[in-house]
Amino acid sequence: MGKLSKLDSFMKAVRGSYHHSSGGGGGHHQIQTAAAPKSEEQKFKALLQSKEKAVKLHFYIQDALGGPNATVSEVARSDMTAASAVSFGQVRVLDDLITEEPDRNSAKLGRAQGMITFTGLDEAALTMNLNFYFTAGEYGGSSLCIVGRNPINSTNRELPVVGGTGRFRLARGYSISNTYSYDAVANYGVLEYTIYVAYYEDEDINNQINSSK
């Protein structure tokens, strides 16, 4: 018998030993297959059918604009920035601490990370792309994203919540922010944020986040 014939006989024997028995006898083996995990599409469809929940979040951002421990840094500027009274054309990135209270030593809730651009030609206004990444509490491991225009000298500045991750998948809502305090000597500000957000409560996502903690 040639090599190909031997191989063909071997493969037939292997397939036969794992043949699904319709009657449960004859010495044949039944193959037990585990349930396939949900695909991302199935998870998404299930999320859309889950219960929507609305919450109010309140916290503070520690905005260290200068000094040896600065958490905000300039990465670019336009030819007009130096002569602009409102820093038009300047781009900064930030990684600010989120705290429960105005005191920088209060409970740490996460980080505010993103990019801000001075886009007001005659007014101090920012265009912001900011992610609130929570590392503690009920929403630890989840994040919220806000994008929009921020007129920094105004009160009750509103920006839209455009999405999120983890517990905040498909999140929508808005944030209201104010400057709580600013130390010009230390170049250090504290920002107050209140966020009104709706998201879908999904048990599978909750279990996944809890198991990763």
Side-chain angles (χ1 to χ4, degrees), residues 135-199:
T135 57
E138 180 181 357
Y139 301 106
S142 301
S143 68
L144 281 172
C145 181
I146 64 172
V147 176
R149 180 178 183 273
N150 185 353
I152 56 178
N153 291 328
S154 300
T155 58
N156 295 324
R157 306 183 290 270
E158 179 179 341
L159 286 93
V161 173
V162 297
T165 64
R167 294 282 297 276
F168 291 123
R169 286 181 180 177
L170 299 181
R172 57 193 176 91
Y174 62 95
S175 70
I176 300 295
S177 64
N178 284 286
T179 302
Y180 180 85
S181 64
Y182 177 69
D183 184 336
V185 175
N187 201 10
Y188 192 98
V190 178
L191 307 173
E192 181 179 15
Y193 271 85
T194 304
I195 299 182
Y196 301 91
V197 60
Y199 65 96

Short mmCIF file of all heavy atoms in Angstrom, two decimals, residues 135-199:
data_model
loop_
_atom_site.label_atom_id
_atom_site.label_comp_id
_atom_site.label_asym_id
_atom_site.label_seq_id
_atom_site.Cartn_x
_atom_site.Cartn_y
_atom_site.Cartn_z
N THR A 135 -11.28 55.04 37.78
CA THR A 135 -10.46 53.94 38.30
C THR A 135 -10.95 53.45 39.66
O THR A 135 -10.40 52.49 40.19
CB THR A 135 -8.99 54.37 38.43
OG1 THR A 135 -8.91 55.53 39.29
CG2 THR A 135 -8.41 54.74 37.07
N ALA A 136 -11.96 54.08 40.22
CA ALA A 136 -12.46 53.69 41.54
C ALA A 136 -13.97 53.83 41.59
O ALA A 136 -14.58 54.48 40.73
CB ALA A 136 -11.81 54.57 42.63
N GLY A 137 -14.57 53.21 42.59
CA GLY A 137 -16.01 53.34 42.78
C GLY A 137 -16.82 52.45 41.86
O GLY A 137 -16.29 51.55 41.18
N GLU A 138 -18.10 52.71 41.80
CA GLU A 138 -19.04 51.88 41.04
C GLU A 138 -18.70 51.81 39.56
O GLU A 138 -18.94 50.79 38.91
CB GLU A 138 -20.45 52.45 41.21
CG GLU A 138 -21.54 51.68 40.48
CD GLU A 138 -22.91 52.30 40.66
OE1 GLU A 138 -23.02 53.31 41.41
OE2 GLU A 138 -23.87 51.79 40.05
N TYR A 139 -18.10 52.89 39.03
CA TYR A 139 -17.83 52.95 37.60
C TYR A 139 -16.35 52.75 37.27
O TYR A 139 -15.90 53.11 36.18
CB TYR A 139 -18.35 54.27 37.03
CG TYR A 139 -19.83 54.45 37.24
CD1 TYR A 139 -20.32 55.33 38.20
CD2 TYR A 139 -20.74 53.70 36.50
CE1 TYR A 139 -21.69 55.46 38.41
CE2 TYR A 139 -22.11 53.82 36.70
CZ TYR A 139 -22.57 54.71 37.66
OH TYR A 139 -23.92 54.84 37.86
N GLY A 140 -15.60 52.20 38.21
CA GLY A 140 -14.20 51.92 37.96
C GLY A 140 -14.02 51.01 36.75
O GLY A 140 -14.70 50.00 36.62
N GLY A 141 -13.11 51.37 35.85
CA GLY A 141 -12.88 50.60 34.64
C GLY A 141 -13.70 51.08 33.46
O GLY A 141 -13.54 50.57 32.35
N SER A 142 -14.56 52.07 33.66
CA SER A 142 -15.39 52.63 32.59
C SER A 142 -14.94 54.06 32.28
O SER A 142 -14.22 54.68 33.06
CB SER A 142 -16.87 52.62 32.99
OG SER A 142 -17.30 51.32 33.28
N SER A 143 -15.39 54.57 31.16
CA SER A 143 -15.02 55.93 30.79
C SER A 143 -16.18 56.65 30.10
O SER A 143 -17.09 56.02 29.56
CB SER A 143 -13.80 55.93 29.85
OG SER A 143 -14.14 55.37 28.60
N LEU A 144 -16.11 57.97 30.15
CA LEU A 144 -17.07 58.83 29.45
C LEU A 144 -16.29 59.80 28.57
O LEU A 144 -15.19 60.25 28.94
CB LEU A 144 -17.91 59.64 30.44
CG LEU A 144 -19.08 58.94 31.12
CD1 LEU A 144 -19.67 59.83 32.21
CD2 LEU A 144 -20.15 58.55 30.11
N CYS A 145 -16.85 60.14 27.42
CA CYS A 145 -16.20 61.06 26.49
C CYS A 145 -17.08 62.28 26.27
O CYS A 145 -18.28 62.16 25.98
CB CYS A 145 -15.93 60.36 25.15
SG CYS A 145 -15.11 61.40 23.93
N ILE A 146 -16.47 63.47 26.40
CA ILE A 146 -17.17 64.70 26.08
C ILE A 146 -16.40 65.44 24.99
O ILE A 146 -15.17 65.40 24.96
CB ILE A 146 -17.38 65.62 27.32
CG1 ILE A 146 -16.04 66.10 27.88
CG2 ILE A 146 -18.17 64.92 28.40
CD1 ILE A 146 -16.20 67.15 28.97
N VAL A 147 -17.12 66.08 24.11
CA VAL A 147 -16.53 66.81 23.00
C VAL A 147 -17.34 68.09 22.82
O VAL A 147 -18.57 68.07 22.90
CB VAL A 147 -16.56 65.99 21.70
CG1 VAL A 147 -16.02 66.81 20.53
CG2 VAL A 147 -15.76 64.70 21.84
N GLY A 148 -16.64 69.20 22.55
CA GLY A 148 -17.41 70.41 22.27
C GLY A 148 -16.66 71.69 22.59
O GLY A 148 -15.46 71.69 22.86
N ARG A 149 -17.42 72.78 22.58
CA ARG A 149 -16.89 74.12 22.80
C ARG A 149 -17.00 74.50 24.26
O ARG A 149 -18.04 74.34 24.88
CB ARG A 149 -17.66 75.13 21.94
CG ARG A 149 -17.17 76.56 22.09
CD ARG A 149 -17.97 77.49 21.16
NE ARG A 149 -17.48 78.85 21.22
CZ ARG A 149 -17.89 79.77 22.11
NH1 ARG A 149 -18.83 79.45 23.01
NH2 ARG A 149 -17.38 80.99 22.12
N ASN A 150 -15.92 75.03 24.80
CA ASN A 150 -15.87 75.40 26.21
C ASN A 150 -15.40 76.85 26.35
O ASN A 150 -14.20 77.15 26.29
CB ASN A 150 -14.91 74.47 26.95
CG ASN A 150 -14.89 74.71 28.45
OD1 ASN A 150 -15.50 75.65 28.95
ND2 ASN A 150 -14.18 73.87 29.17
N PRO A 151 -16.34 77.80 26.56
CA PRO A 151 -15.97 79.21 26.78
C PRO A 151 -15.49 79.38 28.23
O PRO A 151 -16.29 79.56 29.15
CB PRO A 151 -17.27 79.97 26.51
CG PRO A 151 -18.35 78.98 26.85
CD PRO A 151 -17.81 77.61 26.55
N ILE A 152 -14.20 79.31 28.46
CA ILE A 152 -13.65 79.07 29.79
C ILE A 152 -13.88 80.19 30.80
O ILE A 152 -13.72 79.98 32.00
CB ILE A 152 -12.14 78.76 29.71
CG1 ILE A 152 -11.39 79.88 28.99
CG2 ILE A 152 -11.93 77.43 29.01
CD1 ILE A 152 -9.89 79.65 28.91
N ASN A 153 -14.27 81.38 30.35
CA ASN A 153 -14.54 82.47 31.30
C ASN A 153 -16.02 82.56 31.68
O ASN A 153 -16.41 83.43 32.45
CB ASN A 153 -14.08 83.81 30.72
CG ASN A 153 -12.57 83.89 30.63
OD1 ASN A 153 -11.86 83.32 31.46
ND2 ASN A 153 -12.05 84.59 29.63
N SER A 154 -16.83 81.67 31.15
CA SER A 154 -18.26 81.67 31.45
C SER A 154 -18.55 80.73 32.62
O SER A 154 -17.71 79.90 33.00
CB SER A 154 -19.06 81.22 30.23
OG SER A 154 -18.84 82.08 29.13
N THR A 155 -19.75 80.85 33.18
CA THR A 155 -20.20 79.92 34.21
C THR A 155 -21.14 78.89 33.60
O THR A 155 -21.72 79.12 32.53
CB THR A 155 -20.91 80.66 35.36
OG1 THR A 155 -22.03 81.39 34.82
CG2 THR A 155 -19.96 81.64 36.04
N ASN A 156 -21.29 77.77 34.28
CA ASN A 156 -22.18 76.70 33.84
C ASN A 156 -21.95 76.35 32.36
O ASN A 156 -22.86 76.39 31.53
CB ASN A 156 -23.64 77.09 34.06
CG ASN A 156 -23.96 77.25 35.54
OD1 ASN A 156 -23.44 76.52 36.38
ND2 ASN A 156 -24.81 78.22 35.86
N ARG A 157 -20.73 76.00 32.07
CA ARG A 157 -20.34 75.67 30.69
C ARG A 157 -20.84 74.26 30.34
O ARG A 157 -20.54 73.30 31.03
CB ARG A 157 -18.82 75.76 30.54
CG ARG A 157 -18.27 77.12 31.00
CD ARG A 157 -16.79 77.24 30.80
NE ARG A 157 -15.99 76.42 31.68
CZ ARG A 157 -15.53 76.81 32.87
NH1 ARG A 157 -15.85 78.02 33.35
NH2 ARG A 157 -14.77 76.00 33.59
N GLU A 158 -21.58 74.16 29.25
CA GLU A 158 -22.21 72.89 28.88
C GLU A 158 -21.47 72.24 27.71
O GLU A 158 -21.19 72.88 26.70
CB GLU A 158 -23.67 73.12 28.50
CG GLU A 158 -24.40 71.84 28.07
CD GLU A 158 -25.86 72.09 27.72
OE1 GLU A 158 -26.40 73.14 28.13
OE2 GLU A 158 -26.44 71.23 27.04
N LEU A 159 -21.17 70.95 27.85
CA LEU A 159 -20.59 70.16 26.78
C LEU A 159 -21.35 68.84 26.67
O LEU A 159 -21.78 68.30 27.69
CB LEU A 159 -19.11 69.89 27.02
CG LEU A 159 -18.15 71.07 26.81
CD1 LEU A 159 -17.94 71.80 28.13
CD2 LEU A 159 -16.83 70.58 26.26
N PRO A 160 -21.48 68.30 25.47
CA PRO A 160 -22.23 67.05 25.30
C PRO A 160 -21.40 65.82 25.66
O PRO A 160 -20.20 65.77 25.42
CB PRO A 160 -22.58 67.04 23.81
CG PRO A 160 -21.49 67.85 23.17
CD PRO A 160 -21.11 68.90 24.17
N VAL A 161 -22.07 64.85 26.25
CA VAL A 161 -21.49 63.52 26.43
C VAL A 161 -21.82 62.74 25.17
O VAL A 161 -22.99 62.56 24.82
CB VAL A 161 -22.08 62.81 27.67
CG1 VAL A 161 -21.59 61.36 27.73
CG2 VAL A 161 -21.70 63.55 28.94
N VAL A 162 -20.80 62.27 24.46
CA VAL A 162 -21.03 61.64 23.17
C VAL A 162 -20.84 60.12 23.19
O VAL A 162 -21.10 59.44 22.19
CB VAL A 162 -20.10 62.24 22.09
CG1 VAL A 162 -20.41 63.72 21.90
CG2 VAL A 162 -18.63 62.03 22.45
N GLY A 163 -20.43 59.57 24.31
CA GLY A 163 -20.28 58.12 24.38
C GLY A 163 -19.48 57.69 25.59
O GLY A 163 -19.16 58.50 26.47
N GLY A 164 -19.15 56.42 25.63
CA GLY A 164 -18.39 55.90 26.75
C GLY A 164 -18.03 54.45 26.53
O GLY A 164 -18.35 53.85 25.50
N THR A 165 -17.35 53.87 27.51
CA THR A 165 -16.95 52.47 27.45
C THR A 165 -17.34 51.79 28.75
O THR A 165 -17.64 52.44 29.75
CB THR A 165 -15.44 52.32 27.23
OG1 THR A 165 -14.74 52.87 28.37
CG2 THR A 165 -14.98 53.04 25.98
N GLY A 166 -17.27 50.45 28.75
CA GLY A 166 -17.60 49.70 29.95
C GLY A 166 -19.06 49.88 30.33
O GLY A 166 -19.96 49.69 29.52
N ARG A 167 -19.31 50.28 31.56
CA ARG A 167 -20.69 50.51 32.02
C ARG A 167 -21.38 51.61 31.21
O ARG A 167 -22.60 51.65 31.13
CB ARG A 167 -20.68 50.92 33.51
CG ARG A 167 -20.22 49.85 34.47
CD ARG A 167 -21.30 48.82 34.74
NE ARG A 167 -22.47 49.38 35.37
CZ ARG A 167 -22.61 49.58 36.69
NH1 ARG A 167 -21.62 49.24 37.50
NH2 ARG A 167 -23.71 50.08 37.19
N PHE A 168 -20.58 52.48 30.59
CA PHE A 168 -21.14 53.63 29.88
C PHE A 168 -21.21 53.43 28.36
O PHE A 168 -21.25 54.42 27.62
CB PHE A 168 -20.33 54.88 30.20
CG PHE A 168 -20.48 55.35 31.62
CD1 PHE A 168 -19.36 55.49 32.43
CD2 PHE A 168 -21.72 55.65 32.15
CE1 PHE A 168 -19.49 55.93 33.74
CE2 PHE A 168 -21.86 56.08 33.46
CZ PHE A 168 -20.74 56.22 34.27
N ARG A 169 -21.26 52.19 27.89
CA ARG A 169 -21.45 51.98 26.46
C ARG A 169 -22.77 52.62 26.02
O ARG A 169 -23.78 52.51 26.70
CB ARG A 169 -21.49 50.49 26.14
CG ARG A 169 -20.12 49.83 26.19
CD ARG A 169 -20.23 48.36 25.85
NE ARG A 169 -18.94 47.70 25.89
CZ ARG A 169 -18.75 46.40 25.69
NH1 ARG A 169 -19.79 45.63 25.43
NH2 ARG A 169 -17.54 45.88 25.74
N LEU A 170 -22.73 53.32 24.89
CA LEU A 170 -23.89 54.01 24.32
C LEU A 170 -24.38 55.14 25.21
O LEU A 170 -25.55 55.54 25.13
CB LEU A 170 -25.05 53.02 24.05
CG LEU A 170 -24.76 51.90 23.06
CD1 LEU A 170 -26.01 51.02 22.90
CD2 LEU A 170 -24.34 52.45 21.71
N ALA A 171 -23.50 55.70 26.03
CA ALA A 171 -23.90 56.79 26.92
C ALA A 171 -24.23 58.05 26.13
O ALA A 171 -23.68 58.31 25.06
CB ALA A 171 -22.77 57.09 27.91
N ARG A 172 -25.13 58.84 26.68
CA ARG A 172 -25.48 60.15 26.11
C ARG A 172 -25.88 61.07 27.26
O ARG A 172 -26.34 60.61 28.30
CB ARG A 172 -26.61 60.03 25.10
CG ARG A 172 -27.88 59.40 25.65
CD ARG A 172 -28.83 59.02 24.53
NE ARG A 172 -30.02 58.34 25.04
CZ ARG A 172 -31.14 58.94 25.38
NH1 ARG A 172 -31.24 60.26 25.28
NH2 ARG A 172 -32.18 58.25 25.83
N GLY A 173 -25.69 62.35 27.05
CA GLY A 173 -26.04 63.30 28.10
C GLY A 173 -25.27 64.60 27.93
O GLY A 173 -24.89 64.97 26.81
N TYR A 174 -25.01 65.27 29.05
CA TYR A 174 -24.26 66.53 28.98
C TYR A 174 -23.59 66.79 30.32
O TYR A 174 -23.97 66.24 31.36
CB TYR A 174 -25.17 67.70 28.59
CG TYR A 174 -26.30 67.98 29.56
CD1 TYR A 174 -26.17 68.95 30.56
CD2 TYR A 174 -27.50 67.29 29.47
CE1 TYR A 174 -27.20 69.21 31.45
CE2 TYR A 174 -28.54 67.54 30.35
CZ TYR A 174 -28.38 68.51 31.33
OH TYR A 174 -29.41 68.76 32.21
N SER A 175 -22.56 67.64 30.26
CA SER A 175 -21.85 68.02 31.48
C SER A 175 -21.98 69.52 31.69
O SER A 175 -22.10 70.30 30.73
CB SER A 175 -20.37 67.64 31.39
OG SER A 175 -19.70 68.47 30.45
N ILE A 176 -21.97 69.92 32.96
CA ILE A 176 -21.93 71.33 33.34
C ILE A 176 -20.65 71.53 34.16
O ILE A 176 -20.44 70.83 35.16
CB ILE A 176 -23.15 71.73 34.19
CG1 ILE A 176 -24.46 71.50 33.42
CG2 ILE A 176 -23.04 73.19 34.63
CD1 ILE A 176 -24.61 72.36 32.19
N SER A 177 -19.82 72.45 33.73
CA SER A 177 -18.55 72.66 34.44
C SER A 177 -18.39 74.12 34.84
O SER A 177 -18.90 75.04 34.18
CB SER A 177 -17.36 72.22 33.57
OG SER A 177 -17.26 73.01 32.41
N ASN A 178 -17.66 74.33 35.93
CA ASN A 178 -17.33 75.66 36.43
C ASN A 178 -15.92 75.64 37.00
O ASN A 178 -15.42 74.58 37.42
CB ASN A 178 -18.30 76.09 37.53
CG ASN A 178 -19.66 76.52 36.98
OD1 ASN A 178 -19.80 77.58 36.41
ND2 ASN A 178 -20.66 75.65 37.15
N THR A 179 -15.29 76.78 36.99
CA THR A 179 -13.99 76.92 37.65
C THR A 179 -14.22 77.11 39.13
O THR A 179 -14.78 78.13 39.55
CB THR A 179 -13.20 78.10 37.07
OG1 THR A 179 -13.03 77.92 35.66
CG2 THR A 179 -11.83 78.21 37.74
N TYR A 180 -13.83 76.13 39.92
CA TYR A 180 -14.04 76.20 41.37
C TYR A 180 -13.04 77.15 42.00
O TYR A 180 -13.39 77.95 42.87
CB TYR A 180 -13.92 74.79 41.97
CG TYR A 180 -14.11 74.74 43.46
CD1 TYR A 180 -15.39 74.64 44.00
CD2 TYR A 180 -13.02 74.78 44.33
CE1 TYR A 180 -15.58 74.59 45.37
CE2 TYR A 180 -13.19 74.73 45.70
CZ TYR A 180 -14.47 74.64 46.22
OH TYR A 180 -14.65 74.60 47.58
N SER A 181 -11.77 77.08 41.59
CA SER A 181 -10.74 77.96 42.12
C SER A 181 -9.57 78.02 41.15
O SER A 181 -9.39 77.11 40.33
CB SER A 181 -10.25 77.48 43.49
OG SER A 181 -9.62 76.21 43.39
N TYR A 182 -8.77 79.08 41.27
CA TYR A 182 -7.56 79.19 40.45
C TYR A 182 -6.50 79.97 41.22
O TYR A 182 -6.75 81.08 41.69
CB TYR A 182 -7.84 79.88 39.11
CG TYR A 182 -6.58 80.07 38.29
CD1 TYR A 182 -5.92 78.98 37.75
CD2 TYR A 182 -6.05 81.35 38.10
CE1 TYR A 182 -4.76 79.15 37.01
CE2 TYR A 182 -4.90 81.53 37.37
CZ TYR A 182 -4.25 80.42 36.82
OH TYR A 182 -3.09 80.58 36.11
N ASP A 183 -5.32 79.37 41.35
CA ASP A 183 -4.18 79.99 42.02
C ASP A 183 -3.22 80.47 40.93
O ASP A 183 -2.52 79.66 40.30
CB ASP A 183 -3.50 78.97 42.92
CG ASP A 183 -2.35 79.56 43.73
OD1 ASP A 183 -1.78 80.58 43.31
OD2 ASP A 183 -2.01 78.99 44.79
N ALA A 184 -3.17 81.79 40.71
CA ALA A 184 -2.36 82.35 39.63
C ALA A 184 -0.86 82.16 39.89
O ALA A 184 -0.08 81.99 38.94
CB ALA A 184 -2.68 83.84 39.45
N VAL A 185 -0.47 82.20 41.15
CA VAL A 185 0.96 82.04 41.49
C VAL A 185 1.42 80.62 41.17
O VAL A 185 2.46 80.40 40.53
CB VAL A 185 1.21 82.37 42.97
CG1 VAL A 185 2.67 82.09 43.34
CG2 VAL A 185 0.85 83.83 43.26
N ALA A 186 0.65 79.65 41.60
CA ALA A 186 1.00 78.24 41.36
C ALA A 186 0.55 77.76 39.97
O ALA A 186 0.95 76.68 39.54
CB ALA A 186 0.38 77.35 42.43
N ASN A 187 -0.25 78.58 39.28
CA ASN A 187 -0.82 78.20 37.99
C ASN A 187 -1.56 76.87 38.13
O ASN A 187 -1.32 75.91 37.38
CB ASN A 187 0.27 78.11 36.92
CG ASN A 187 -0.31 78.25 35.51
OD1 ASN A 187 -1.48 78.59 35.33
ND2 ASN A 187 0.52 77.97 34.51
N TYR A 188 -2.47 76.85 39.09
CA TYR A 188 -3.16 75.61 39.45
C TYR A 188 -4.66 75.90 39.57
O TYR A 188 -5.07 76.79 40.31
CB TYR A 188 -2.63 75.08 40.78
CG TYR A 188 -3.07 73.69 41.12
CD1 TYR A 188 -2.24 72.60 40.89
CD2 TYR A 188 -4.31 73.44 41.70
CE1 TYR A 188 -2.62 71.30 41.21
CE2 TYR A 188 -4.72 72.15 42.02
CZ TYR A 188 -3.87 71.09 41.77
OH TYR A 188 -4.25 69.81 42.10
N GLY A 189 -5.46 75.14 38.85
CA GLY A 189 -6.91 75.34 38.90
C GLY A 189 -7.63 74.08 39.36
O GLY A 189 -7.13 72.97 39.22
N VAL A 190 -8.81 74.29 39.92
CA VAL A 190 -9.70 73.19 40.28
C VAL A 190 -11.02 73.42 39.55
O VAL A 190 -11.63 74.49 39.67
CB VAL A 190 -9.94 73.11 41.80
CG1 VAL A 190 -10.92 71.98 42.12
CG2 VAL A 190 -8.62 72.91 42.55
N LEU A 191 -11.43 72.43 38.78
CA LEU A 191 -12.64 72.53 37.98
C LEU A 191 -13.71 71.61 38.56
O LEU A 191 -13.42 70.48 38.96
CB LEU A 191 -12.36 72.13 36.53
CG LEU A 191 -11.19 72.87 35.86
CD1 LEU A 191 -10.90 72.26 34.49
CD2 LEU A 191 -11.48 74.36 35.74
N GLU A 192 -14.93 72.09 38.60
CA GLU A 192 -16.06 71.31 39.12
C GLU A 192 -16.91 70.82 37.96
O GLU A 192 -17.31 71.61 37.10
CB GLU A 192 -16.89 72.16 40.06
CG GLU A 192 -18.07 71.43 40.68
CD GLU A 192 -18.88 72.29 41.63
OE1 GLU A 192 -18.70 73.52 41.59
OE2 GLU A 192 -19.69 71.74 42.38
N TYR A 193 -17.17 69.53 37.95
CA TYR A 193 -17.98 68.94 36.89
C TYR A 193 -19.20 68.22 37.47
O TYR A 193 -19.09 67.48 38.44
CB TYR A 193 -17.18 67.91 36.09
CG TYR A 193 -16.42 68.49 34.91
CD1 TYR A 193 -15.17 69.06 35.09
CD2 TYR A 193 -16.97 68.48 33.63
CE1 TYR A 193 -14.46 69.60 34.01
CE2 TYR A 193 -16.28 69.01 32.55
CZ TYR A 193 -15.03 69.57 32.75
OH TYR A 193 -14.35 70.10 31.68
N THR A 194 -20.35 68.47 36.85
CA THR A 194 -21.56 67.70 37.12
C THR A 194 -22.01 67.13 35.79
O THR A 194 -22.18 67.86 34.81
CB THR A 194 -22.67 68.58 37.71
OG1 THR A 194 -22.19 69.22 38.90
CG2 THR A 194 -23.89 67.73 38.05
N ILE A 195 -22.17 65.81 35.74
CA ILE A 195 -22.52 65.15 34.49
C ILE A 195 -23.86 64.43 34.64
O ILE A 195 -24.08 63.69 35.59
CB ILE A 195 -21.44 64.14 34.07
CG1 ILE A 195 -20.10 64.86 33.85
CG2 ILE A 195 -21.84 63.40 32.80
CD1 ILE A 195 -18.98 63.96 33.39
N TYR A 196 -24.74 64.68 33.70
CA TYR A 196 -26.03 64.01 33.64
C TYR A 196 -25.96 63.04 32.46
O TYR A 196 -25.83 63.47 31.30
CB TYR A 196 -27.15 65.02 33.45
CG TYR A 196 -27.21 66.05 34.56
CD1 TYR A 196 -26.50 67.26 34.47
CD2 TYR A 196 -27.94 65.82 35.72
CE1 TYR A 196 -26.52 68.19 35.49
CE2 TYR A 196 -27.98 66.74 36.75
CZ TYR A 196 -27.27 67.92 36.62
OH TYR A 196 -27.30 68.86 37.65
N VAL A 197 -26.02 61.76 32.75
CA VAL A 197 -25.76 60.78 31.70
C VAL A 197 -26.77 59.64 31.75
O VAL A 197 -27.18 59.19 32.83
CB VAL A 197 -24.31 60.23 31.81
CG1 VAL A 197 -24.07 59.56 33.15
CG2 VAL A 197 -23.99 59.26 30.68
N ALA A 198 -27.18 59.20 30.58
CA ALA A 198 -28.05 58.02 30.45
C ALA A 198 -27.25 56.93 29.75
O ALA A 198 -26.51 57.20 28.81
CB ALA A 198 -29.30 58.36 29.65
N TYR A 199 -27.40 55.71 30.23
CA TYR A 199 -26.71 54.59 29.62
C TYR A 199 -27.55 53.34 29.83
O TYR A 199 -28.52 53.33 30.58
CB TYR A 199 -25.31 54.41 30.23
CG TYR A 199 -25.32 54.03 31.70
CD1 TYR A 199 -25.20 52.70 32.10
CD2 TYR A 199 -25.44 55.00 32.70
CE1 TYR A 199 -25.21 52.34 33.44
CE2 TYR A 199 -25.44 54.65 34.03
CZ TYR A 199 -25.33 53.33 34.40
OH TYR A 199 -25.36 52.98 35.73
#
